[in-house]
Amino acid sequence: MGDASAEAQYEFIIASKPNPTVTLITLNRPKALNALSSPLFHELNHALAQAELDKDVGAVVLTGSEKAFAAGADIKEMKDIEFAEAYGNNFLSHWTQITEMKKPVIAAVSGYALGGGCELAMMCDIILASPTAKFGQPEINLGIIPGAGGTQRLTHALGKSRAMEIILTGKNISALDAEKWGLVSRVVAEGEGEVVKEAIELAKTIASKGRLSVMAAKESVNTSYELGLREGLHFERRLFQSLFATKDQKEGMSAFAEKRKAAFTNQ
Ligand code: CO8
């Protein structure tokens, strides 16, 4: 069921709760193929902050339309920006708030995920793709380079040679190649709304786990991007040990021993 009060307050996105434990955020600028603008990010950041605060919510799904997850940053909004303004106001700096989320965010991608759209999907924790999904970093065709992680996250996902080819030519990656190359975790079945349905199911599954261990797992996986193996393993071990201070660890292990389903309380 959609949450009508949440839907009413935004112009460029729709926020709803298809399940009490899941927030669904839908980018909603259909005429501009969900081109990402500053006002849109303002709303997105607000909806994400609400989801982070909502005690019932355990995971977030971010999606677009059937035709476009997002066709990039809004070129018309950007085209006249001068260096002094871009640099002086740290242009795009508030577009990455999604990476600060403690709760997992799943991108459900149909159609175009280009430029900033591809980068936004890559800022999420898991990407599910519909067979129509097309990923790419076409910035080179506009005389710029990716500005919100494309040269970094795509290279981590695909390796140097493939990332170079994609970024230097601006050509798109099909859903099947994205799956084969590890950019997305899987391509779902064909059909309108299928990828969102799958993403909501996945979000519900994650939300049914203990919140503290989900957050710790997300933090630990993300740390593997930042640290070398030795420091990463050390960080993981310390987080692992700290979870023995939680009630959820006692409950999870007792439930296993007593052959019953764990009732996590997120404490
Ligand atoms: N910005 C502004 N408007 C756009 C954008 C965009 N990125 N993409 C599409 N639109 C608009 C079109 O101008 C058009 O508007 P109108 O009807 O008023 O002419 C409408 O959406 C429909 O688009 P098309 O008619 O072009 O639709 P097609 O189906 O023919 O083509 C494409 C679809 C191939 C996706 C095509 O629209 C396209 O190439 N779009 C631009 C893709 C692109 O270059 N993206 C990269 C932008 S630069 C960028 O993202 C920098 C990243 C910065 C960091 C972001 C942080 C998250």
Side-chain angles (χ1 to χ4, degrees), residues 234-252:
H234 182 77
F235 181 81
E236 179 194 71
R237 180 72 50 83
R238 289 288 172 265
L239 263 186
F240 168 78
Q241 290 164 345
S242 71
L243 289 168
F244 284 79
T246 67
K247 290 185 177 148
D248 281 350
Q249 175 268 328
K250 299 288 173 289
E251 168 60 13

Side-chain angles (χ1 to χ4, degrees), residues 19 21 27 70 80-81 92-93 221:
N19 177 275
T21 64
L27 304 176
D80 296 323
I81 294 181
L92 297 185
S93 60
V221 171

Side-chain angles (χ1 to χ4, degrees), residues 52 63 218:
E52 192 85 307
T63 195
K218 168 170 168 164

